[in-house]
Amino acid sequence: MASNRFTNIHSHIFTSTEVPDYFLKTIIGNDWIARNLNSLFQKKMTLNAMKPILWAMKAISPNYRNSIERYIEFIQIGASSTQGEIFDREASAYSGIGNYRIVVLTQMLDYLDVNSKSNHKRIQTQVEEVVQLKRDANYQKRLYPFLSVDPRMTFMEPIDWVQKYISKDMGFYGIKMYPAYGFFPFDARLDPVYEWAEKYEVPIMTHCTRGGSWYLGTFDSVLNKGGFMAPGLNEDHASMTKIRGRINSLIADKDKHKNNKYWCNIFGHIENYEPVLAKYPNLKICFAHMGGATEILRPKKDKSYPKYFDDNWYEMILDKLANHKNTYTDISYTLSNEKAMARIKSDYVDKDFLKYKVLYGTDFFLTQVEKKGDEPNMLSTFLQLFDQASIQKIAYDNNENYLKSKIHPTP
Amino acid sequence: MSSIFDSPIFETVLSMILVCAMLSLLVSSLTELINSYFNERGKQLYNTISKLFDDNVNINFGQLIYNHPMVTNLRKDNKTYPQYISDAMFSQVMIEVVSNFAREYKYDEEKKSIVMQVAKDANGLPVHEDLFTRFKAGVEKMEHTSIKLLLLNMADKATSMAKGDSSTSEIASLEKQLKQWYNDQMDRMTGWYKEVIKKKLLIVGFIVAIVLNVNAIHVFQTIYRNPQLRSELTAISERVAENYEKVKSDTSLTDLQKETKAMQMSKIISIKKDSTQLSEIKDALGQMQKLDTAFNKIISKVMKLDSIDKIHDSLRRIKLAEDFKNTYDRIDEIEALGLPIGWKLNEPPLCWLATKDTANKKFLHRILINNVFINRDSLITKLKSDHIDKYFINYVKPSFWNWVFYLIGICITAFSVSMGAPFWFDLLLKFVNIRKAGKKPLTTTND
């Protein structure tokens, strides 16, 4: 049956208080500068003071000026006082679309650097705020939260955590994972979560790009010296030999060994889901961002990555979608890249299986730093790119099928 | 016969204390300006309240109180934390937040939404649950940690106290305990805040010492070797100390306000002649003061609105504008002292960079005096012919030791001014009082 609710399947509403103080290390290497720039850009007066500079830059370097403006805008949204305020901002873009709902993904940022201290709101408090929003009559019918899970969580067993919140009474609909923050999706500690999610058809959203943000600590703090790794949930599966081989190759690669970006490629690699899907073939999982624009546009052979992980994530995701029945992908963030979307559209037309597997999402508000990355522009790009029938599939029907579970049979 | 208190060394020390007092007041004003801009007090309060409930396991109720409408209304804008939360508001909001955590919600299939459950009796009528009972239920719902035990014990104590005293309710006793706990933590916060401020004062102290080019050793030498300047500064010191003594006991003023008022009452700018040593720095601050004017315009508009929230906001802006003005005035006063500070091409350390090569007309290679370029040797000859003290002639010459003493002088200035204005003003007052007490009273011939 056709759905009548337009759905954004991928967005964020966490505020800067939910983010560790050292988070901007992702963009700016120096911790001290990152923390202070963060405070500085949160001030309205700073933005006003910067106006003459930005105006002058319009003549000298318009592109650079625009990216600074977008970056400041991004910080300003994050500096909102409540998650509700950010949701309102996102929702305003959909006021003309009719009946809509927005999936908000909570983000477990507590283990971004296990050795650094920060006074941010931990995931328990972030989730409680979302629980309160979900109960609020202003948001209840439009806000569909997903619960963030990380196998390193210490305050509760991951399975108890998901069972507590993903229920009709608490109002959470699915699970969010971000392996690039420092864990492997095949981690044995997640085994009960996958088993439960498969049994109840609970959707899982997992981050799948080489870029974005990633673990910020040292890798000895995750993998231990000598490369000891936590056991996997399906160690006997054939794919594990290649996966372990890839990890060991990076450990041995002294040039790249200390580069967090490469490690995060190792954590989030698409092949890491192979042992999971082999054990739980009916798992409902969405590989977010379709691997990212850089992968979609990357030539078959280039020298960006060493041989041991020079796979194209976009193609690997297409392969997963073609061979596993409950797998999905979304166009969030990638939607901000015109060229990548042109290729996606062409593949969408050519490959039949994609018509039931692609979901509309934007990755609000993280796209704010991209040109035309604000929510109204993202929505309008999508509506202009696809025809009515495709929009019905991507933004309505597929999303509804993905959200549907035994816990929420009629989302 | 002149006493030790009239000796050049005592007067120089007294003058140095005045200089440190004025510079430290500038540093304090600047630090206050930075703190106002970044809402440091509000952040410190938020961090302290967060830490009260941070056990890594449970929901942090301390952070959640910031979402409570009563606290949200205290925010000046959506990016600023309130600078102050009273103990009464803290206890009231905390009880409500924990109580709300105990509320039960269920998905209603008919309404297709999550609805709050109301306890009902056997007849299906709603049962009134008092706030204290719900608070206890909220605490019991928490995972077992030291924070849970602390709150549970507070609730138990409240029950015991209410039993022993019929005039006190359980909720009132609980509020009392929460207030006590909060106030204790606020006292500790004041201590932490002072520690943070100390570090900031040192950083700002260094910035001021470098930007104003204040070499404490050279300032000391200049005052010691210049009787006229020394006597002028001694007179100002006495005047400032006298005024400081007048305002010191005023409990309605903060430390910074007392010292600022003492300086204002002393009217240093009108006593001393103008100097252009710090004109560039003043210009920069003058630009900032334009913002102050803009603020005042906004304030006048905002104050017309009958809204507590807006008035709070305007008060914050007034405070920021006041901080701008204070900083500007302090620079004015320091400038009026006529001390050897500020950056000039014919003074160290810039003149040490000048070369003997008169043919080379590059910037900094020769010294500009009265709009005429002369080389350093000519300057020294000029100083000698003017019978200037040998110290000043040697000071103009570049040497390893001059550089070492210059850097030491800058460090001494930074460390001294970071000790805070109250320290130097109190010391100034003591020295002036000692001087007054130690002076031999004047006798008349009639006696």
Side-chain angles (χ1 to χ4, degrees), chain A residues 232-247:
Chain A
L233 54 83
N234 195 359
E235 282 290 347
D236 298 333
H237 190 258
S239 61
M240 283 307 287
T241 315
K242 199 175 169 193
I243 292 167
R244 293 288 187 208
R246 185 182 298 117
I247 297 165

Side-chain angles (χ1 to χ4, degrees), chain A residues 80-281:
Chain A
S80 303
S81 59
T82 62
Q83 299 198 62
E85 206 176 288
I86 300 183
F87 183 86
D88 290 340
R89 189 177 174 129
E90 181 181 13
S92 64
Y94 294 93
S95 53
I97 209 102
N99 197 359
Y100 69 90
R101 69 186 145 204
I102 297 171
V103 169
V104 300
L105 308 169
T106 54
Q107 204 83 333
M108 200 177 293
L109 300 157
D110 305 347
Y111 307 102
L112 258 181
D113 177 358
V114 292
N115 290 330
S116 278
K117 283 187 178 174
S118 168
N119 194 31
H120 67 283
K121 279 180 190 160
R122 313 227 180 278
I123 187 69
Q124 301 94 307
T125 312
Q126 185 192 141
V127 164
E128 177 64 19
E129 285 180 345
V130 176
V131 166
Q132 288 177 9
L133 279 183
K134 183 66 187 167
R135 289 169 182 165
D136 189 322
N138 278 312
Y139 302 98
Q140 201 171 111
K141 305 281 184 192
R142 300 177 294 150
L143 185 145
Y144 282 63
F146 271 41
L147 187 74
S148 187
V149 175
D150 187 312
R152 295 166 296 171
M153 54 195 284
T154 49
F155 57 93
M156 200 182 264
E157 286 300 320
I159 182 65
D160 297 334
W161 173 245
V162 294
Q163 284 177 343
K164 178 180 174 186
Y165 285 102
I166 302 175
S167 69
K168 281 202 156 185
D169 297 339
M170 296 302 270
F172 277 73
Y173 283 76
I175 295 165
K176 171 72 198 303
M177 294 199 315
Y178 202 110
Y181 285 164
F183 66 90
F184 293 103
F186 55 76
D187 193 308
R189 288 170 289 186
L190 292 172
D191 199 22
V193 175
Y194 291 131
E195 189 184 352
W196 180 81
E198 187 189 47
K199 186 178 172 190
Y200 290 96
E201 298 166 13
V202 171
I204 296 174
M205 175 70 73
T206 185
H207 176 84
C208 278
T209 68
R210 287 184 187 266
S213 55
W214 48 73
Y215 184 68
L216 297 169
T218 63
F219 280 85
D220 284 342
S221 63
V222 179
L223 290 171
N224 307 298
K225 283 176 185 168
F228 171 79
M229 283 164 270
L233 54 83
N234 195 359
E235 282 290 347
D236 298 333
H237 190 258
S239 61
M240 283 307 287
T241 315
K242 199 175 169 193
I243 292 167
R244 293 288 187 208
R246 185 182 298 117
I247 297 165
N248 288 327
S249 298
L250 186 56
I251 291 171
D253 190 342
K254 298 291 175 198
D255 287 346
K256 299 185 170 60
H257 180 88
K258 289 188 175 171
N259 190 326
N260 288 25
K261 184 183 165 184
Y262 288 114
W263 271 112
C264 292
N265 284 195
I266 287 282
F267 285 130
H269 200 282
I270 311 298
E271 198 162 34
N272 293 345
Y273 296 91
E274 201 54 52
V276 180
L277 287 168
K279 192 166 180 181
Y280 302 106

Side-chain angles (χ1 to χ4, degrees), chain B residues 346-390:
Chain B
N346 61 342
E347 282 178 8
L350 288 185
C351 78
W352 294 338
L353 302 169
T355 65
K356 288 179 181 179
D357 179 12
T358 50
N360 195 336
K361 291 181 181 177
K362 281 182 185 169
F363 181 68
L364 285 185
H365 280 235
R366 287 184 300 150
I367 302 160
L368 181 72
I369 293 181
N370 298 332
N371 293 325
V372 178
F373 279 106
I374 60 165
N375 67 26
R376 192 178 47 240
D377 288 344
S378 309
L379 175 67
I380 292 166
T381 313
K382 187 179 179 303
L383 292 173
K384 277 180 183 169
S385 66
D386 290 348
H387 302 290
I388 300 287
D389 191 315
K390 208 179 168 189

Side-chain angles (χ1 to χ4, degrees), chain A residues 43 46 85 119 124 140 169, chain B residues 37 47 57 78 107 113-114:
Chain A
K43 308 300 295 180
T46 308
E85 206 176 288
N119 194 31
Q124 301 94 307
Q140 201 171 111
D169 297 339
Chain B
Y37 187 66
N47 287 339
V57 176
N78 63 357
Y107 183 79
S113 60
I114 300 166

Side-chain angles (χ1 to χ4, degrees), chain A residues 17 36 39-40 42-46 76 79-82 85 119-122 124-125 128-129 132 134-135 140-141 155-156 164-165 168-171 410, chain B residues 37-39 43 46-47 50-51 54 56-60 63-64 67 75 78-81 101 105-107 109 111-114 143 291 295 316 320 324:
Chain A
T17 56
N36 285 288
S39 316
L40 196 64
Q42 284 181 24
K43 308 300 295 180
K44 215 179 248 177
M45 203 171 133
T46 308
Q76 297 260 332
S80 303
S81 59
T82 62
E85 206 176 288
N119 194 31
H120 67 283
K121 279 180 190 160
R122 313 227 180 278
Q124 301 94 307
T125 312
E128 177 64 19
E129 285 180 345
Q132 288 177 9
K134 183 66 187 167
R135 289 169 182 165
Q140 201 171 111
K141 305 281 184 192
F155 57 93
M156 200 182 264
K164 178 180 174 186
Y165 285 102
K168 281 202 156 185
D169 297 339
M170 296 302 270
T410 49
Chain B
Y37 187 66
F38 288 105
N39 185 229
K43 277 186 200 164
Y46 173 81
N47 287 339
S50 294
K51 279 179 187 159
D54 186 12
N56 278 326
V57 176
N58 286 294
I59 290 159
N60 191 318
Q63 290 168 338
L64 282 187
N67 296 346
R75 298 179 96 130
N78 63 357
K79 291 172 180 61
T80 314
Y81 293 121
F101 181 60
Y105 290 81
K106 287 263 173 229
Y107 183 79
E109 292 290 349
K111 290 181 181 169
K112 295 212 174 300
S113 60
I114 300 166
E143 299 293 330
L291 292 168
F295 272 139
R316 189 176 73 87
L320 201 59
F324 267 121

